[in-house]
Amino acid sequence: MNKVKIFTAGIDLGSTMTKVLILDGEGKSRAQVTGATGAEHRRLANKVMAQALGQAGLSLEEIGYIVATGYGRVNVPFADCQVTELTCHARGVSHLFPSARTAIDIGGQDAKGLKIRDGKLVDFVMNDRCAAGTGRFLEVTAETLGLRLEELGELSLKAASKVEIGSTCTIFAQAEMVALLSQGRPLAEILAGLHQAIASRVVKMVTGLKIEADVVFTGGVAQNAAVVQAIKEKLGHDVLVPDEPLFTGALGAALLAREIALKCLANGKTIPDKERRLEEARLYEDY
Amino acid sequence: MAQDRGMDRAKAIYQDRSQRAGELKAQGKQVIGYLCAYPVLEMMTALDLVPFRILGDMTEPISRADACLPTVVCPFIRSALDLALKDRYQFLDGVVMAHSCDVAEKTAHIWHSYLRPPYFHFIDTPHTTGDSAVKQHKRLLKDFQKTLEQLAGRQLSQERLKEAVKAHNQQRALVRELYGLRKPDPPLISGVESLEVMVSLMSLPVDEGSRLLKQVITEVRQRNSGPPKKPARLLIWGSIIDNSSLIQMIEGLSANLVMDDTCVGSRFYWPDVAATEDPLDGLAHRYLVALKCPRTFRQADPNKASKDYQADLEYRFGYLMEYAKEWRVNGVILQSLRYCDIHGYEVPQVKDYLNSLGLPAIYLEYDYSQAALAPLRTRVQAFLEIIGQGNF
Amino acid sequence: MAYFMGIDIGSATSKGVITQEGQPLVGHYLPSQANYRAAVIKLREELLAKAGLSPQDIAKTVTTGHSVAGLPFKHERIADIRCCARGINRLFPQARTIIDIQAMSSRVIRLGQDGQVGNFIVSEPCAAGSGRFLEIMAHILRIDIKEIGPLSLRSQRPVHFTTSCAVFGESEAISRVAQGTPKEDILAGVHRALADKLCALTSRVGLEEPCAISGGGGLDTGLIKSLEDRLSVSLLVPDQPQLVTALGAAIMAQEKEKC
Amino acid sequence: MVNWWQGDPILKAMDVATVYPEDYGAVCAAFGAAQAYLEGAEADGFPAHMCGYARNCLGYTARMIELGEIPPEAPMGGMPQPSLLLASGALCDARYKWFQALGRYLDAPLWVLELPHPGVKEGLMEGAGEGNIYFIAQQLREFISFLEKLLGRRMDWGRLDETVDSTMEMNRWWHRANELRRARPCPMHSRDFWSSMPASLYMANDPGETAGLYRQMYDEIKSRVDNKIGALKAPERYRLAFLELPPWHSLDFFNQLAERGWNFVIESWAYHPPRPLDLDRVSDPLERLARYSYHWLTGYYPKANQAEEWWGYFAYPYLEYVRDYQCDGVVLHPLLSCRTATNHLMMVRDRLMKKLKVPSLVIEGDIVDLKLFDPARALSQAEAFEETMDHYKKLRKEAGLGW
Ligand SMILES: Nc1ncnc2c1ncn2[C@@H]1O[C@H](COP(=O)(O)OP(=O)(O)O)[C@@H](O)[C@H]1O
Ligand SMILES: Nc1ncnc2c1ncn2[C@@H]1O[C@H](COP(=O)(O)OP(=O)(O)O)[C@@H](O)[C@H]1O
Ligand code: SF4
Ligand code: SF4
Ligand code: SF4
């Protein structure tokens, strides 16, 4: 059935970043593009999509099926269907690492743990109410210190020891950090403390799933080597990180899109063909 | 298309619970507020007192209650107390509370101290179900009867009490009939509508409630505009749900909520009171033993020297399997309000039981606020995706 | 003639006041930024310059707020709650309750006689209940913090904000912006949410009138309005609410000197 | 688990050794070993807001069963696997729910003893007290027949009689020792109370021997009082009450307050023995036990009723304590994981202020979970609270309250 060539796309409209990934007829990645989901960019998810289409040299009509996921999935007018980021991440993770049984994903505002069996999501935990221990923590840090996000991890790995960060509140951890700096604590050690704080919060949350190897770590924060290191230490064993952890959700979405499309075709049905408009996406419905 | 007049009325009462109570008071009736499922309604009804269930209001921010209750207790109770402190329960002629859970017990004393209702009684409902506990419960109900009689200014005869038992049993039968209409696929009545009806029943005198129920049942049977068919048929278990927005959120996804085991729902109405020579015997037994809430300690056989965990689960949660079978449930939502201990401790055990039945379940904890629902939606949707994984 | 200095080292701004004969002479503040110590030293210099005084002229200095090690001048530390109470007492001797809204926390103080702390409660460390929430919102809406009060007062239809986390509140606001909700309605919603939190905090120690406001949050007219609505009282608002604690510190410096 | 002398004397008289998981929870917390067990319980799906003792016990038990032996890292040699679980319905839901939840791991029979918690007015209705006592005694009888079956031996009633008496004797000395703490300066700090109270509450030893120890303690405290020796090195500047359970993992916190002259002179009502009760004429030992435990809970009711305080057991006693021990202030410790020790605190705070003009400081934390307690934040409020205490001291003088 894989004879049919069909392009599919996944769009992961996260709280912080929008990610689009397009798969070609063979199921290989043809384009992947990210954009910030900032206050004004968020509405422009279509721009990121358009860029990805440009990269792939395709038009919207040529994409057989589009799955939207992430925080802003609920209203993406050019998607054919919405699937939660939990399912999409699980799908992406098990595609990249068929041996994965646990996945930890830390994004801009959420952190989640996924339990995967035979490539399928069977259980999960995620944060709510409080954004402590998420990527936001790092963004705020970078902003306060005038550093780039990419620098945080490496700097922190240089620390000889680490400072204990008491605040759990994302927003106040920043203030605490400032205070520590003014006490003359070395930057690297403070950063090490912050990374530890994120890792312990997330690992504590994920213990609720009874972690089993292999553990895969994804999401934007997985690009930060210090968090990866801290999570390894807390878990007491290795974790696998994809080459492009940011795209795991979008990849999962595109893979699901492909599955759905192929299934429809195999059953002799036409792919659900609803009208697509490449226009603004909304975050959540008004209700 | 038939006009859902009973449904409309139920909805109207759900939206403004105190209005009818006000009218009844104007007619000279006394309205007694009660918290939880444990105050014995029949005794109030028999003395011509109108039992009125005290609920919270999820949409109203809690501001006054924090002065007398800490923030680390169940937000439903905090909300109910908060409303009272804001004079929203001022119309009550009396209040009766029971030792349903720890927080409810303590709140009873706080309520009594701060609000000083004209009549107040606390029933220290036992927590075990052995013979001595049932006897103790009966004795406590006799004390309750004494204070109620004082309030009503007359004696309670066994005949009147038996009549009240009948009236309430009849209402329970009607509720079960209504729930029966959720068995077809798609169900004839949604979870949201069903909750609205339950809340309105708890705001009306028993006969009036039963009339409303009959009307609703007739309408629902005839309607052709029920909920749409959806892949998931869910059962919801757990802490009190007195506001439809959680259910609305769930039913806004690809699921119908077809059955519940919660306190403004089947848990409250399911068991009947047995007709006994002394009606207090039937009542003492029904409210302590037959009513199944995790606040009561029950186990398969207390006298056994060793433990069979599975048999114990079967004994405690077996009814959930029957619900699941009869209502053709394919997934269960376990929910607990944050800081609700009695449900919290139960969760892993209910999960064990549901696992043994092969029924998928998800646990949600929320803090009784509208804002908490948005993040829950992703969870519920992911759960529905897990149940329906074959669809991809 | 004796001069006294009070310095309040806040997490957002550091503030200083010099008093003369028990009356405020000059006040000054600057951002604390990343280095409290540097901020304090600079603040002190600028404050002295503003008053045209030299360090020797100051009979005693009290610092309050964050504690900073190794300050290069003699000073005594006193808890900020006490200083805040003294400050308000000097400005509004009739006040019985203070709602103090700082960047990182809020507190409600009941006053005893002579500006003594009668009772108090400090909010939990959560940004959703402090001035920080306002800063975040100003940032998202791309407006100056000074504008949020006047803007919010113009709102006709405040949005219903029920979020319990400042970070999520931020996203909620962002999506509101995306939906085209007017800024003033978003701000009024934020003010209401914050006022609700402060109201709950207040109820834990009880509100006795008259009630005064202090801290940087007191600069926000929109927040004051929401608080007044929520509490059904009218509030005493100092001209420079953010300087109240520093003023109190200077007053404490004088008290300490006496005994 | 603690059952306030309902079941313990019975177990003692039948030679059943007892182990108390709450006590062990405090031990794990003090040794810093609790965190892993708490996480274990969470991993098994128990919500994090539940009782720290319970989660510690559940996590520990899960690990013990998984290993098939006492975990090697367990502090003080660990807790052995029990052959009977005796739960108590007194004071909190958590406790019988928690032992029931142990059924996931343990194959041990479980028995629950209830203690009625009437309201003040309801408890004082005609016949109510006797009815409740009858119910307790009846339950104890049922428990004994179960034990006899389980153990295959008969109750030695003579021995039970003695055990009950020595239990009461033990508590009498312990109570008297605590009464001495009214002295100025107070001769015994809460820390000493917490380290001595387990002997009374967790009846692992012979109550007769314990009575001797408490008696010695009484003598020692008495001589301190006679010589005006206080519990602190520093002069006693403030006398305080601590409500409810302490942060077992951060007891150092109290030393820092002690340096400021804060003496904690009285604490959690629920950890204190009942006021002595004359039961000499009651010949049935079970009835004596029933009356004794019931008196512990409801002994304050008549006075609470007079004072129109409808929360007779958890809120009212503090009105008496704070007055009798002449406290300047109260430190309240709401526990994120315990409703029972927290429910009443706001109300107590309010009543103490209204009736006695005594202020309270609220410090949030937990008994076992150290992540929830921030000593630095708490200490930073101490200075301002001193001013508050000074202020109310003046007001009390003005109001003629006397201390
Ligand atoms: N280069 C990088 N190095 C380290 N962290 C990064 C980098 N890029 C992004 N991040 C982190 O990733 C987060 C966004 O992750 P993402 O998975 O896209 O979240 P979401 O789906 O919620 O938008 C940011 O908050 C940031 O902390
Ligand atoms: N002009 C203004 N309008 C409204 N709010 C303001 C203004 N200036 C400061 N604020 C508020 O005051 C807070 C700072 O208060 P401040 O008392 O200085 O805090 P801290 O002492 O912790 O530094 C800010 O978080 C902000 O919310
Ligand atoms: S939800 Fe739980 S804590 Fe709240 S009243 Fe019900 S049983 Fe009690
Ligand atoms: S503590 Fe901080 S991160 Fe947590 S809810 Fe409050 S504002 Fe949000
Ligand atoms: S009283 Fe509190 S600490 Fe004690 S067992 Fe109950 S819930 Fe746990």
Side-chain angles (χ1 to χ4, degrees):
Chain A
M1 76 179 183
N2 278 10
K3 293 250 169 55
V4 203
K5 307 264 183 206
I6 185 163
F7 292 100
T8 57
I11 173 162
D12 178 359
L13 196 58
S15 62
T16 312
M17 308 265 230
T18 300
K19 289 128 304 199
V20 175
L21 188 143
I22 298 178
L23 291 178
D24 68 10
E26 261 77 49
K28 296 221 174 60
S29 170
R30 172 86 168 244
Q32 38 194 64
V33 175
T34 64
T37 317
E40 58 287 340
H41 294 110
R42 167 165 296 168
R43 300 180 290 128
L44 308 176
N46 50 330
K47 287 246 168 98
V48 186
M49 187 71 199
Q51 262 179 36
L53 288 169
Q55 204 182 77
L58 293 167
S59 72
L60 193 61
E61 290 68 39
E62 287 171 89
I63 308 287
Y65 204 80
I66 304 176
V67 167
T69 186
Y71 185 64
R73 69 181 176 282
V74 278
N75 193 356
V76 181
F78 49 85
D80 299 293
C81 129
Q82 285 88 30
V83 179
T84 61
E85 54 272 35
L86 295 144
T87 301
C88 289
H89 269 99
R91 197 69 193 74
V93 164
S94 42
H95 177 78
L96 296 169
F97 301 100
S99 60
R101 290 169 79 80
T102 310
I104 297 175
D105 177 88
I106 313 181
Q109 264 183 38
D110 53 19
K112 40 191 174 282
L114 312 172
K115 187 169 171 170
I116 299 170
R117 290 291 174 275
D118 306 324
K120 297 225 143 89
L121 177 67
V122 292
D123 202 358
F124 59 87
V125 288
M126 63 192 289
N127 70 320
D128 62 347
R129 276 216 313 178
C130 180
T134 63
R136 205 50 237 279
F137 220 67
L138 295 174
E139 288 172 45
V140 169
T141 308
E143 205 175 301
T144 317
L145 301 175
L147 294 169
R148 280 178 302 119
L149 261 178
E150 297 79 38
E151 295 173 309
L152 295 180
E154 281 172 38
L155 249 174
S156 139
L157 287 175
K158 296 206 179 99
S161 65
K162 47 189 173 272
V163 174
E164 185 83 18
I165 302 283
S167 308
T168 45
C169 177
T170 301
I171 288 167
F172 291 151
Q174 172 207 16
E176 190 174 340
M177 193 169 63
V178 171
L180 287 166
L181 271 175
S182 80
Q183 286 166 23
R185 305 300 298 258
L187 178 62
E189 292 183 11
I190 298 172
L191 286 178
L194 275 172
H195 288 117
Q196 282 292 322
I198 296 188
S200 37
R201 222 181 140 96
V202 173
V203 168
K204 184 168 193 294
M205 183 183 85
V206 179
T207 28
L209 288 177
K210 293 215 163 163
I211 300 167
E212 283 176 44
D214 291 348
V215 182
V216 178
F217 180 21
T218 65
V221 175
Q223 298 178 56
N224 179 315
V227 179
V228 176
Q229 183 58 32
I231 287 190
K232 278 184 193 168
E233 280 166 23
K234 301 265 163 205
L235 288 178
H237 55 75
D238 204 22
V239 299
L240 306 166
V241 181
D243 293 338
E244 284 172 302
L246 199 59
F247 282 99
T248 321
L251 170 66
L255 287 167
L256 280 173
R258 187 172 160 79
E259 267 173 51
I260 296 170
L262 292 177
K263 205 182 209 169
C264 288
L265 291 175
N267 293 343
K269 280 191 275 186
T270 50
I271 301 173
D273 192 9
K274 79 178 198 201
E275 202 205 331
R276 283 189 197 139
R277 287 163 289 134
L278 197 52
E279 57 180 48
E280 295 181 353
R282 290 255 188 90
L283 265 190
Y284 23 83
E285 303 145 294
D286 260 310
Y287 92 117
Chain B
M1 206 170 101
Q3 254 256 294
D4 286 6
R5 300 215 354 253
M7 279 309 307
D8 292 345
R9 171 126 198 277
K11 194 177 186 82
I13 298 173
Y14 167 81
Q15 280 161 352
D16 180 5
R17 298 189 56 227
S18 59
Q19 199 238 345
R20 179 71 190 132
E23 288 168 14
L24 290 164
K25 273 175 70 86
Q27 293 163 21
K29 297 253 192 216
Q30 300 201 69
V31 180
I32 309 293
Y34 65 97
L35 190 75
C36 278
Y38 286 84
V40 177
L41 305 186
E42 287 82 347
M43 297 171 72
M44 295 180 250
T45 299
L47 280 163
D48 207 21
L49 304 165
V50 180
F52 184 93
R53 178 117 179 207
I54 293 171
L55 297 175
D57 181 353
M58 215 165 109
T59 60
E60 164 97 20
I62 297 170
S63 55
R64 302 278 309 275
D66 293 348
C68 39
L69 257 184
T71 50
V72 295
V73 308
C74 138
F76 156 71
I77 289 260
R78 282 171 61 223
S79 169
L81 181 66
D82 192 60
L83 295 181
L85 290 167
K86 291 172 179 162
D87 290 340
R88 298 258 293 271
Y89 282 117
Q90 216 177 12
F91 58 88
L92 295 176
D93 296 289
V95 170
V96 48
M97 296 192 181
H99 193 160
S100 34
C101 66
D102 211 17
V103 182
E105 183 223 354
K106 271 55 184 218
T107 303
H109 305 319
I110 290 176
W111 196 296
H112 191 185
S113 304
Y114 283 83
L115 291 148
R116 306 207 158 231
Y119 165 84
F120 187 89
H121 191 90
F122 173 72
I123 306 172
D124 180 31
T125 315
H127 285 85
T128 53
T129 55
D131 288 346
S132 57
V134 178
K135 268 198 202 120
Q136 161 81 350
H137 191 212
K138 180 178 175 191
R139 197 181 58 69
L140 294 167
L141 294 186
K142 278 190 188 146
D143 283 351
F144 178 38
Q145 178 172 342
K146 270 188 224 157
T147 64
L148 270 183
E149 285 171 342
Q150 264 167 20
L151 171 72
R154 80 191 108 92
Q155 301 282 306
L156 172 57
S157 73
Q158 290 214 342
E159 278 55 53
R160 289 294 296 269
L161 192 52
K162 283 181 181 165
E163 278 167 35
V165 165
K166 252 191 228 143
H168 280 275
N169 277 348
Q170 191 210 4
Q171 183 168 86
R172 293 179 185 120
L174 288 167
V175 169
R176 291 191 297 262
E177 192 179 332
L178 182 72
Y179 269 63
L181 303 179
R182 299 167 79 176
K183 288 181 184 173
D185 193 22
L188 297 178
I189 171 171
S190 72
V192 169
E193 291 168 317
S194 167
L195 182 81
E196 288 169 356
V197 175
M198 293 307 114
V199 169
S200 59
L201 289 184
M202 295 176 181
S203 321
L204 295 174
V206 63
D207 292 332
E208 197 178 329
S210 296
R211 280 197 300 278
L212 175 66
L213 254 178
K214 280 185 199 150
Q215 203 184 345
V216 168
I217 292 171
T218 316
E219 283 166 15
V220 170
R221 281 190 195 288
Q222 289 165 356
R223 85 193 325 193
N224 41 25
S225 59
K229 194 171 155 85
K230 299 208 184 139
R233 295 175 58 85
L234 303 180
L235 162 71
I236 191 162
W237 170 96
S239 304
I240 189 163
I241 298 175
D242 61 355
N243 183 299
S244 58
S245 46
L246 175 69
I247 302 178
Q248 202 171 354
M249 180 273 281
I250 297 169
E251 293 190 329
L253 301 169
S254 55
N256 280 316
L257 198 73
V258 296
M259 185 56 187
D260 64 59
D261 176 23
T262 54
C263 201
V264 181
S266 77
R267 191 180 289 171
F268 189 77
Y269 288 106
W270 234 241
D272 275 339
V273 176
T276 45
E277 177 64 34
D278 178 350
L280 282 185
D281 284 317
L283 289 167
H285 185 272
R286 189 266 177 189
Y287 281 85
L288 184 62
V289 185
L291 197 62
K292 289 200 175 72
C293 167
R295 59 76 62 195
T296 310
F297 174 84
R298 54 184 91 241
Q299 64 178 338
D301 184 356
N303 279 302
K304 271 235 176 89
S306 80
K307 191 105 190 171
D308 176 349
Y309 183 52
Q310 193 56 37
D312 210 41
L313 291 179
E314 201 71 54
Y315 175 82
R316 289 159 62 200
F317 308 119
Y319 65 97
L320 290 177
M321 178 171 70
E322 307 197 345
Y323 289 171
K325 259 196 213 145
E326 286 189 38
W327 276 264
R328 287 177 284 164
V329 164
N330 54 12
V332 183
I333 292 183
L334 308 174
Q335 59 83 30
S336 152
L337 286 169
R338 199 173 311 267
Y339 303 124
C340 174
D341 283 330
I342 58 169
H343 286 93
Y345 280 95
E346 211 88 330
V347 169
Q349 300 169 73
V350 182
K351 260 196 172 169
D352 286 347
Y353 181 67
L354 295 173
N355 270 344
S356 74
L357 300 180
L359 259 178
I362 182 181
Y363 171 59
L364 305 177
E365 196 173 289
Y366 79 117
D367 59 9
Y368 199 72
S369 76
Q370 223 95 33
L373 295 178
L376 287 187
R377 181 158 51 176
T378 298
R379 277 162 226 241
V380 175
Q381 198 175 347
F383 174 62
L384 295 175
E385 286 165 7
I386 291 179
I387 301 181
Q389 248 160 13
N391 298 340
F392 296 132
Chain C
M1 206 174 302
Y3 297 98
F4 295 92
M5 186 188 283
I7 294 181
D8 171 18
I9 309 161
S11 37
T13 40
S14 290
K15 290 134 290 197
V17 167
I18 295 179
T19 57
Q20 177 187 22
E21 305 285 317
Q23 291 309 316
L25 179 69
V26 287
H28 186 58
Y29 57 89
L30 45 80
S32 300
Q33 267 163 0
N35 190 337
Y36 288 137
R37 192 166 165 271
V40 171
I41 294 171
K42 184 153 172 256
L43 174 74
R44 182 163 168 271
E45 277 166 14
E46 294 182 7
L47 191 61
L48 286 168
K50 218 169 164 180
L53 297 172
S54 70
Q56 293 77 10
D57 296 326
I58 305 294
K60 188 174 173 74
T61 302
V62 161
T63 64
T64 187
H66 284 279
S67 86
V68 176
L71 285 177
F73 54 89
K74 231 182 113 212
H75 65 106
E76 187 174 338
R77 276 198 53 76
I78 294 181
D80 55 356
I81 294 176
R82 299 176 66 193
C83 295
C84 180
R86 282 313 189 283
I88 283 291
N89 183 248
R90 175 59 45 95
L91 299 171
F92 303 112
Q94 74 276 31
R96 311 275 19 114
T97 310
I98 310 172
I99 301 178
D100 180 39
I101 306 148
Q102 305 185 348
M104 275 197 41
S105 69
S106 304
R107 57 226 26 218
V108 179
I109 306 169
R110 287 280 294 270
L111 289 165
Q113 294 131 337
D114 313 324
Q116 299 248 342
V117 177
N119 206 346
F120 63 90
I121 184 131
V122 179
S123 69
E124 279 140 46
C126 167
S130 70
R132 197 57 227 272
F133 200 23
L134 300 172
E135 293 173 43
I136 293 172
M137 288 301 160
H139 182 72
I140 292 171
L141 300 176
R142 312 231 148 206
I143 55 175
D144 191 88
I145 184 101
K146 292 195 185 77
E147 294 172 53
I148 62 177
L151 255 177
S152 157
L153 290 177
R154 285 214 292 274
S155 164
Q156 300 295 326
R157 295 177 54 230
V159 301
H160 195 61
F161 245 101
T162 38
T163 188
S164 52
C165 169
V167 177
F168 293 141
E170 190 177 351
S171 314
E172 203 174 325
I174 291 171
S175 70
R176 293 286 186 177
V177 173
Q179 286 164 23
T181 311
K183 285 182 182 178
E184 55 264 35
D185 292 344
I186 297 177
L187 285 172
V190 170
H191 282 139
R192 231 181 234 188
L194 189 51
D196 279 339
K197 285 220 164 192
L198 293 169
C199 197
L201 194 68
T202 308
S203 79
R204 287 167 69 176
V205 284
L207 177 85
E208 192 187 341
E209 289 186 74
C211 175
I213 289 290
S214 71
L219 291 166
D220 185 339
T221 46
L223 177 59
I224 305 255
K225 167 82 172 26
S226 298
L227 263 175
E228 289 185 328
D229 287 350
R230 271 294 180 204
L231 295 166
S232 337
V233 297
S234 65
L235 297 167
L236 302 168
V237 186
D239 288 339
Q240 293 191 292
Q242 77 280 31
L243 293 182
V244 166
T245 303
L247 170 65
I251 293 166
M252 290 288 259
Q254 186 170 7
E255 275 178 29
K256 290 270 165 173
E257 183 71 2
K258 268 188 207 139
C259 53
Chain D
M1 67 175 51
V2 169
N3 52 63
W4 287 280
W5 316 289
Q6 278 186 289
D8 287 336
I10 293 174
L11 293 171
K12 283 247 126 32
M14 293 199 74
D15 275 330
V16 179
T18 45
V19 170
Y20 299 83
E22 305 97 307
D23 192 21
Y24 194 67
V27 167
C28 289
F31 277 77
Q35 219 59 32
Y37 300 139
L38 297 181
E39 279 165 21
E42 270 171 64
D44 276 2
F46 292 99
H49 62 73
M50 296 183 348
C51 169
Y53 293 159
R55 279 182 295 138
N56 184 69
C57 174
L58 288 160
Y60 171 88
T61 309
R63 177 148 166 79
M64 175 170 65
I65 298 302
E66 192 186 303
L67 292 176
E69 60 183 24
I70 289 176
E73 78 285 349
M76 293 180 81
M79 272 193 300
Q81 197 167 325
S83 40
L84 164 69
L85 294 168
L86 177 60
S88 161
L91 294 194
C92 93
D93 296 332
R95 301 189 315 139
Y96 60 91
K97 303 280 339 165
W98 144 30
F99 269 25
Q100 181 157 49
L102 280 175
R104 296 188 81 215
Y105 313 105
L106 291 174
D107 162 28
L110 165 57
W111 197 269
V112 183
L113 291 176
E114 291 203 65
L115 183 67
H117 294 50
V120 167
K121 285 208 165 301
E122 295 78 6
L124 296 173
M125 281 175 77
E126 201 189 322
E130 290 305 307
N132 286 333
I133 288 165
Y134 175 82
F135 171 50
I136 303 171
Q138 197 60 28
Q139 281 202 324
L140 295 179
R141 245 176 283 283
E142 287 165 15
F143 177 49
I144 289 178
S145 34
F146 169 70
L147 267 183
E148 287 178 335
K149 243 189 329 194
L150 182 74
L151 302 173
R153 52 179 186 263
R154 313 293 300 175
M155 171 59 95
D156 176 347
W157 291 93
R159 214 171 132 203
L160 179 63
D161 215 64
E162 281 164 30
T163 315
V164 171
D165 285 346
S166 50
T167 300
M168 291 195 239
E169 172 75 1
M170 158 185 97
N171 278 339
R172 198 171 301 128
W173 283 109
W174 180 216
H175 173 74
R176 291 186 61 186
N178 277 295
E179 292 275 302
L180 292 173
R181 298 169 70 195
R182 298 179 184 207
R184 270 177 194 272
C186 169
M188 177 177 151
H189 185 274
S190 290
R191 276 196 79 150
D192 298 319
F193 174 87
W194 286 314
S195 52
S196 325
M197 136 267 157
S200 149
L201 221 47
Y202 309 121
M203 277 179 54
N205 298 318
D206 174 59
E209 268 170 44
T210 313
L213 290 177
Y214 281 137
R215 195 192 165 134
Q216 278 172 19
M217 232 173 118
Y218 171 85
D219 291 340
E220 191 189 321
I221 298 173
K222 182 83 176 54
S223 83
R224 283 174 150 253
V225 172
D226 293 343
N227 296 305
K228 296 211 174 304
I229 301 174
L232 306 184
K233 284 199 205 89
E236 177 178 284
R237 284 173 61 219
Y238 299 101
R239 297 167 65 85
L240 292 108
F242 190 92
L243 277 52
E244 285 294 324
L245 304 175
W248 295 112
H249 42 76
S250 312
L251 288 177
D252 250 10
F253 166 70
F254 288 97
N255 297 347
Q256 280 163 287
L257 292 175
E259 283 168 19
R260 305 185 71 102
W262 291 33
N263 201 357
F264 284 86
V265 302
I266 189 79
E267 52 294 289
S268 316
W269 158 84
Y271 277 2
H272 273 269
R275 297 183 175 183
L277 179 68
D278 183 9
L279 292 172
D280 286 352
R281 270 181 304 239
V282 181
S283 59
D284 174 6
L286 292 185
E287 188 184 327
R288 278 215 298 289
L289 278 184
R291 287 189 182 280
Y292 193 63
S293 299
Y294 188 67
H295 165 71
W296 165 75
L297 190 91
T298 61
Y300 291 91
Y301 277 26
K303 282 194 180 157
N305 190 38
Q306 272 170 14
E308 303 212 326
E309 291 294 341
W310 307 132
W311 195 336
Y313 64 96
F314 236 131
Y316 176 74
Y318 294 117
L319 284 173
E320 293 199 0
Y321 282 9
V322 165
R323 192 190 58 221
D324 295 349
Y325 287 78
Q326 305 207 323
C327 297
D328 299 299
V330 178
V331 173
L332 305 177
H333 185 217
L335 305 176
L336 278 137
S337 74
C338 175
R339 257 43 65 204
T340 302
T342 303
N343 278 317
H344 56 296
L345 295 181
M346 294 304 129
M347 177 168 174
V348 170
R349 171 191 176 112
D350 180 56
R351 309 320 277 172
L352 288 175
M353 180 57 83
K354 286 220 172 89
K355 293 208 161 169
L356 300 176
K357 299 197 190 305
V358 171
S360 318
L361 178 66
V362 182
I363 295 175
E364 271 157 9
D366 194 45
I367 31 179
V368 181
D369 199 337
L370 69 152
K371 290 214 189 89
L372 301 174
F373 184 68
D374 180 357
R377 185 169 125 85
L379 285 168
S380 73
Q381 300 183 23
E383 185 192 325
F385 190 60
E386 287 175 1
E387 189 169 304
T388 306
M389 289 192 284
D390 291 339
H391 172 66
Y392 281 99
K393 187 176 235 151
K394 249 192 276 165
L395 293 191
R396 281 196 303 276
K397 286 255 159 66
E398 281 166 26
L401 278 163
W403 74 97

